[in-house]
Amino acid sequence: MTRKRTSKRTEKRASKRNNIKSKSSKRSRINRLQSGSGKKFKLIELKVEISKEDKIASGNFGVVFKGKLVNNTDVVVKFDKVITDSFNREANIAQRLKNHPNINKILGIYKGKEISYMNNKNTNQTIPLDQMGLVFRYCKQGSLKSVLDKTDNYASLFNLLDDSKRNLCGLRRLIGFMIDVANGLDYIQSKGCYHLDIAARNVLIDGDDVAKITDFGLSTCKTKEISGQIPIFSSSPELITKKSPIIEKSDMWSFGMLMFETFSLGERPFNGVDIKNLVKIYQNNNYNNNTLSRNHLSIETISTKLSILKEEVYGTEIIALIKKCIKKKPSERINFNDAKKNLIDIFEKLTNKIDDNNDPLNNTLIKNYYFNRWKGGKNKGTPPTLEKLIGKIIS
């Protein structure tokens, strides 16, 4: 009797093991990666069709290709030249952050064929066979930096028509991008994480004109953990000098730099300032809003850039908000939720000032789409087409 029972138990266990193997073989392959803390996490391996002709960008640290999933969805695949902590950190962050409209979340990883391509220096490079790449959704308009770089004489951004009220649509569009980013950063921090590399190059704009935060290679979910190369011109003084281990408000400083970059239409923060001098200023604690603005950052250039709108009040409000983001004491800086509310208020003022005849958002359902998205409500209505938002492009 004992032998029969043992035999039946053995058969049941074997049957269970076979069932598990059968089920797992039907699923996508899962790759287990190691985080810096030793904790294992997993990402689904995706089948993506890419070729060397699909290269979007390449730099010192990696290369990005456009590709398609089997269901014909457009994606991008980002390869680091070396699988480093940055790669693992970015993949680890993906496990913490759920789907959010303002985050370009990792969909999975890619391992496939060897790809040869030409880098920016016109030398041949190769992605080795089975090197892992991170897969993201494709954003049609590219980075916010590339959108700003295309604003030749404001034409493609500000809808330069005869009616000055039409010009306000371009400013409102930029404010919408900043609300999106503040919304995304507010969510990231609610999950106990910090981006630490907020800049126009790391904000993508999709086909519905929605801004999405990307590139979590420097991110952390620990307030005392700072690693990797710090981007000096957009990072907070306390992050650069490492005088404070608390970094909750460092992303807010960077958000202030992003607003400067955006509303000056692509001007780099501290343009022309020697990097060593800037670090010394921070190390000596020899700065405040006035000295930074007057001598180094030139925040007031935003008013000049926006003077084409002949609506100085908005430039003044934007400058005031930037200064709230870059207060010397981190504890005195505004938080993302309040920054978002401040920007939504300006967005609403602009919407009320633009009459329906000149407003690409002249449909109530479209306006609801924006306000509901930012205020956490259900999106009733559909986004306007990109052509409507940008309007007539004047060469």
Side-chain angles (χ1 to χ4, degrees), residues 243-256:
K243 286 183 178 178
S244 170
I246 306 301
I247 58 173
E248 286 97 331
K249 290 302 181 87
S250 290
D251 275 348
M252 181 49 75
W253 176 285
S254 298
F255 182 67

Side-chain angles (χ1 to χ4, degrees), residues 188 264 290 329 355:
I188 289 167
S264 64
N290 290 330
K329 291 183 179 178
D355 60 67

Side-chain angles (χ1 to χ4, degrees), residues 115-285:
I115 307 171
S116 294
Y117 67 96
M118 299 296 287
N119 66 12
N120 292 342
K121 297 177 181 178
N122 287 324
T123 57
N124 196 55
Q125 298 282 315
T126 302
I127 303 292
L129 182 68
D130 284 342
Q131 178 174 329
M132 284 192 292
L134 297 176
V135 183
F136 300 84
R137 276 195 172 84
Y138 172 71
C139 289
K140 184 178 180 180
Q141 298 185 69
S143 71
L144 174 57
K145 183 180 185 307
S146 67
V147 170
L148 295 171
D149 287 345
K150 291 172 185 172
T151 56
D152 181 31
N153 295 323
Y154 307 87
S156 63
L157 186 72
F158 280 88
N159 302 303
L160 294 186
L161 304 179
D162 292 336
D163 194 318
S164 62
K165 288 183 180 180
R166 179 72 167 181
N167 296 340
L168 296 180
C169 300
L171 176 58
R172 183 178 61 183
R173 185 179 179 220
L174 294 182
I175 290 168
F177 293 156
M178 294 303 96
I179 297 171
D180 284 340
V181 175
N183 203 30
L185 287 169
D186 193 34
Y187 169 75
I188 289 167
Q189 291 205 352
S190 75
K191 297 298 180 183
C193 299
Y194 309 95
H195 190 279
L196 305 186
D197 194 13
I198 292 299
R201 67 182 180 277
N202 290 332
V203 174
L204 300 177
I205 311 299
D206 72 7
D208 290 331
D209 227 37
V210 176
K212 295 177 181 288
I213 300 165
T214 190
D215 201 336
F216 290 84
L218 290 179
S219 302
T220 180
C221 293
K222 296 179 180 178
T223 56
K224 294 183 180 180
E225 180 185 290
I226 303 171
S227 60
Q229 280 188 315
I230 296 171
I232 300 295
F233 291 113
S234 59
S235 293
S236 66
E238 67 272 14
L239 201 65
I240 292 166
T241 59
K242 300 184 180 177
K243 286 183 178 178
S244 170
I246 306 301
I247 58 173
E248 286 97 331
K249 290 302 181 87
S250 290
D251 275 348
M252 181 49 75
W253 176 285
S254 298
F255 182 67
M257 294 298 108
L258 173 66
M259 282 201 291
F260 171 82
E261 197 177 355
T262 300
F263 294 112
S264 64
L265 299 183
E267 186 173 318
R268 194 185 75 172
F270 303 105
N271 194 22
V273 177
D274 182 75
I275 193 168
K276 291 180 180 177
N277 289 342
L278 186 61
V279 172
K280 279 183 182 177
I281 289 168
Y282 289 161
Q283 287 174 336
N284 297 332
N285 210 26

Side-chain angles (χ1 to χ4, degrees), residues 156-159 161 166 169-170 172-173 207-209 356-364 366 370 382-393:
S156 63
L157 186 72
F158 280 88
N159 302 303
L161 304 179
R166 179 72 167 181
C169 300
R172 183 178 61 183
R173 185 179 179 220
D208 290 331
D209 227 37
D356 279 348
N357 292 329
N358 293 312
D359 192 353
L361 308 186
N362 58 7
N363 186 306
T364 303
I366 289 174
Y370 281 101
T382 56
T385 63
L386 193 58
E387 288 73 19
K388 271 194 173 184
L389 282 168
I390 295 176
K392 182 181 178 183
I393 296 178

Side-chain angles (χ1 to χ4, degrees), residues 33-36 41-43 64 76 78-80 84-97 103-109 133-136 193 195 197 202 204 213-221 225 227:
L33 304 172
Q34 195 84 11
S35 70
F41 49 93
K42 57 191 179 182
L43 285 172
V64 179
V76 294
K78 174 186 170 186
F79 294 97
D80 285 359
T84 61
D85 285 344
S86 172
F87 180 96
N88 288 336
R89 195 181 299 117
E90 191 160 8
N92 193 15
I93 290 285
Q95 304 302 298
R96 284 181 175 250
L97 304 178
I103 293 173
N104 197 32
K105 191 176 181 294
I106 295 171
L107 301 175
I109 67 166
L134 297 176
V135 183
F136 300 84
C193 299
H195 190 279
D197 194 13
N202 290 332
L204 300 177
I213 300 165
T214 190
D215 201 336
F216 290 84
L218 290 179
S219 302
T220 180
C221 293
E225 180 185 290
S227 60

